[in-house]
């Protein structure tokens, strides 16, 4: 199941994730992919190792104040922060997404956007937008182009577009040069996580009417 | 993110004891130059045992030694990331407290202690300086029973030491750019040109460790 993923994260996204420089919505996308993909998890953790080396090189003469160790021990004595509930690993939504949704797929608060397509915007900082998309089996998401980067990852079912076919765990990375019409496989409804750092531009179907609903 | 399995609860009396003995531990250690700025000691394998001692025995001496080495570096790292000194100090303390509480989640076949501490410090920076949540992948850990192979632990430490040497040998300008990225000063678009880091070997090593871990989990 885990080794069937064909479409992975790019090095620059993984390095930015390790360095902690991504907008929250992109962090969520990367964390979700890493939960399903050990190939990228290993790549990501090797970028963490670079951070470890940077930390080791820091000048240790920026000394801590007197009593800082005692203060830390007092902090420890207050106990560990409350543990988050463990999520079942066989779920459709990997743990990081469940943290945002408050449960698995049946906890998603869908809003219809037309033609059977539904979406749920996830609460992240505004630099970028993360949304879950529901595409009914066999249906297409309207053709759209992008101002920025759009990452789409399949969580359930599969979709195909002009580029390739994408199944659970696969990430499609699209930039402004790409116009695409993702169409869900006929066999199963498709659920995706989509992240953009700019509003979508719809080029064909109901361009003006459709946009405000999908964007927010 | 992390799943807490055992929570540390100490009553007031015990807490007092913890503070006193840990401070004593730090003092006792001060005289010995074991944790000095000497590079060969920085990535030493023993830090792994320190974390293990914290996990298994709530060993405050081990913690004091880790604190002495890492807390100032975390503080320096956060200052370079844009924090003022007071906030950096406070955050460094919280990072070290997290290390104590999450010692059971540290996997020495996938990260050195320095790498692990970096990830905690980075998350603290995102939380405090960028005021943003940090989604993390699903936790994978050995659990209370399984223990990783010693040779895998050793191999990962060696790969990391080699990475560090390779980074030190990079042209100055490139190394500074990488540091800049890790201090949070480069966007992911700017990072796009930052390839050429020699990560092939360590990546394969971590992948191997993940496979073994998955095997142990099943
Ligand atoms: Zn991947």
């Amino acid at each position: 199941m885990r080794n069937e993923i064909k479409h992975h994260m790019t090095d620059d996204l993984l390095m930015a994730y390790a360095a902690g420089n991504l907008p929250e919505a992109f962090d969520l996308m990367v964390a979700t992919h890493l939960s399903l993909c050990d190939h990228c998890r290993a790549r990501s953790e090797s970028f963490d190792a670079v951070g470890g080396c940077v930390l080791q090189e820091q000048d240790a003469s920026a000394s801590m104040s007197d009593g800082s160790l005692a203060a830390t021990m007092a902090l420890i004595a207050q106990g560990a922060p409350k543990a988050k509930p463990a999520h079942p690993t066989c779920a459709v939504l990997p743990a990081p997404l469940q943290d945002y949704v408050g449960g698995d797929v049946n906890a998603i608060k869908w809003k219809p956007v037309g033609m059977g397509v539904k979406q749920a915007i996830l609460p992240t900082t505004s630099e970028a937008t993360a949304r879950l998309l529901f595409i009914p089996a066999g249906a297409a998401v309207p053709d759209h182009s992008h101002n920025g980067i759009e990452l789409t990852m399949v969580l359930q079912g599969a979709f195909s577009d002009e580029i390739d076919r994408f199944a659970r765990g696969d990430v499609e990375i699209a930039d402004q040069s790409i116009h695409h019409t993702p169409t869900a496989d006929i066999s199963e409804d498709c659920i995706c996580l989509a992240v953009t750092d700019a509003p979508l531009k719809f080029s064909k179907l109901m361009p003006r009417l459709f946009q405000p609903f999908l964007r927010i | 993110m992390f799943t807490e399995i055992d929570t540390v609860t100490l009553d007031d009396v015990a807490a007092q004891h913890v503070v006193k003995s840990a401070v004593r531990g730090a003092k006792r250690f001060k005289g010995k130059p074991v944790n000095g700025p000497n590079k060969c000691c920085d990535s030493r394998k023993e830090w792994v045992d320190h974390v293990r001692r914290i996990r298994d025995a709530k060993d405050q001496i081990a913690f004091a030694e880790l604190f002495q080495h890492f807390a100032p570096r975390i503080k320096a790292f956060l200052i370079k990331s844009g924090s003022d000194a007071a906030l950096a100090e406070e955050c460094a303390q919280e990072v070290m407290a997290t290390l104590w509480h999450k010692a059971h989640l540290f996997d020495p076949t996938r990260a050195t202690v320095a790498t692990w501490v970096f990830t905690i410090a980075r998350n603290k920076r995102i939380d405090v300086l960028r005021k943003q949540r940090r989604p993390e992948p699903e936790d994978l850990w050995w659990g209370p029973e399984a223990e990783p192979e010693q040779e895998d632990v050793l191999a990962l430490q060696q790969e990391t030491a080699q990475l560090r040497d390779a980074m030190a040998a990079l042209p100055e300008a490139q190394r500074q750019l990488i540091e800049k990225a890790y201090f949070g000063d480069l966007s992911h678009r700017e990072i796009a040109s930052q390839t050429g880091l020699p990560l092939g070997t360590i990546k394969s090593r971590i992948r191997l460790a993940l496979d073994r871990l998955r095997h142990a989990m099943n």
Side-chain angles (χ1 to χ4, degrees):
Chain A
M1 156 200 128
R2 286 177 194 280
N3 46 21
E4 283 167 13
I5 296 173
K6 284 188 302 182
H7 301 274
H8 297 279
M9 288 287 165
T10 58
D11 270 343
D12 56 314
L13 280 167
L14 290 176
M15 184 172 169
Y17 178 74
N21 301 344
L22 288 175
E24 185 182 345
F26 280 76
D27 274 354
L28 179 57
M29 170 62 84
V30 176
T32 304
H33 181 75
L34 299 190
S35 300
L36 297 174
C37 181
D38 280 353
H39 170 69
C40 288
R41 196 192 275 253
R43 293 166 67 207
S44 168
E45 289 180 2
S46 70
F47 282 116
D48 286 344
V50 175
C53 294
V54 170
L55 180 72
Q56 282 285 25
E57 294 299 334
Q58 293 311 298
D59 185 2
S61 62
S63 62
M64 300 288 283
S65 62
D66 295 345
S68 65
L69 175 59
T72 306
M73 294 315 295
L75 210 58
I76 288 168
Q78 288 170 14
K82 223 174 106 197
K84 277 190 293 181
H87 302 293
T89 43
C90 53
V92 173
L93 304 183
L97 261 184
Q98 292 207 35
D99 286 342
Y100 279 75
V101 168
D104 202 9
V105 269
N106 37 19
I108 302 171
K109 295 184 181 66
W110 294 113
K111 290 215 170 77
V113 289
M115 300 160 73
V117 178
K118 295 184 280 185
Q119 74 167 359
I121 307 269
L122 301 173
T124 63
T125 54
S126 59
E127 303 157 272
T129 308
R131 82 191 76 214
L132 288 161
L133 278 173
F134 177 96
I135 313 167
V141 167
D143 181 22
H144 58 282
S145 60
H146 314 267
N147 286 320
I149 299 176
E150 183 191 39
L151 306 183
T152 310
M153 190 174 96
V154 176
L155 298 161
Q156 177 192 294
F159 73 78
S160 302
D161 64 12
E162 293 81 344
I163 315 288
D164 205 343
R165 181 175 178 274
F166 297 82
R168 179 167 166 88
D170 282 328
V171 186
E172 179 167 50
I173 301 176
D175 62 18
Q176 44 266 68
S177 64
I178 293 176
H179 286 251
H180 62 156
T181 317
T183 306
D185 276 17
I186 197 74
S187 54
E188 195 180 0
D189 294 335
C190 181
I191 295 175
C192 297
L193 173 65
V195 168
T196 44
D197 60 357
L200 296 183
K201 261 194 317 200
F202 284 88
S203 48
K204 264 190 216 148
L205 293 168
M206 302 187 280
R208 293 269 163 188
L209 280 173
F210 214 70
Q211 266 205 54
F213 294 101
L214 269 171
R215 205 204 282 148
I216 295 198
Chain B
M1 291 193 198
F2 295 98
T3 323
E4 293 296 337
I5 297 303
D6 57 328
T7 42
V8 181
T9 41
L10 296 165
D11 59 36
D12 285 343
V13 182
Q16 290 290 326
H17 173 74
V18 169
V19 173
K20 273 186 209 142
S21 57
V23 172
R24 228 182 295 131
K27 275 187 188 143
R28 175 142 37 99
F29 215 74
K30 230 172 220 170
K32 300 187 197 171
V34 207
N35 283 348
N38 189 347
K39 273 191 186 172
C40 71
C41 299
D42 287 353
S43 53
R44 54 185 206 162
K45 186 188 149 290
E46 293 96 283
W47 292 135
V48 173
D49 293 320
H50 280 66
V51 175
R52 209 170 273 152
R53 276 155 64 194
I54 293 169
R55 180 195 70 185
D56 294 341
K58 313 225 176 301
D59 186 329
Q60 296 128 32
I61 307 296
F63 183 77
E65 290 170 16
L66 278 170
F67 188 94
Q68 197 180 27
H69 180 79
F70 283 108
R73 286 178 169 79
I74 300 166
K75 184 176 175 181
F77 169 76
L78 291 170
I79 288 173
K80 289 203 183 135
S81 303
S83 167
D84 65 49
L87 183 63
E89 163 108 17
E90 194 184 313
C91 289
Q93 292 179 13
E94 285 168 13
V95 168
M96 292 306 295
T98 302
L99 178 150
W100 175 287
H101 291 310
K102 294 188 169 168
H104 62 287
L105 290 172
F106 171 60
D107 182 350
T109 66
R110 286 156 57 209
T112 61
V113 174
T115 297
W116 184 52
V117 170
F118 160 74
T119 63
I120 302 172
R122 171 201 63 206
N123 292 2
K124 179 57 77 181
R125 186 189 79 208
I126 294 171
D127 176 25
V128 173
L129 295 184
R130 295 187 60 190
K131 301 192 175 17
Q132 159 175 326
R133 281 169 81 179
R134 165 73 179 191
E136 288 276 309
E138 249 168 56
D139 272 328
L140 301 175
W141 65 300
W142 290 88
E145 255 121 71
E147 189 81 42
E149 294 290 335
Q150 213 32 246
E151 60 185 296
D152 290 342
V153 175
L154 210 59
L156 191 275
Q157 311 295 312
Q158 282 164 359
E159 306 288 6
T160 311
Q162 280 161 20
L163 171 64
R164 200 173 165 203
D165 291 344
M167 281 175 65
L170 286 174
E172 182 64 18
Q174 194 186 350
R175 208 178 56 240
Q176 280 180 2
L177 263 175
I178 290 165
E179 286 188 354
K180 222 176 149 201
Y182 281 83
F183 296 144
D185 285 344
L186 292 187
S187 74
H188 72 277
R189 289 166 198 278
E190 294 169 306
I191 281 174
S193 55
Q194 295 309 302
T195 46
L197 273 167
L199 294 177
T201 339
I202 196 164
K203 191 175 67 190
S204 313
R205 175 71 54 193
I206 296 169
R207 183 62 210 265
L208 194 67
L210 283 168
D211 288 346
R212 295 204 179 155
L213 178 56
R214 293 278 185 200
H215 188 72
M217 283 166 77
N218 289 330

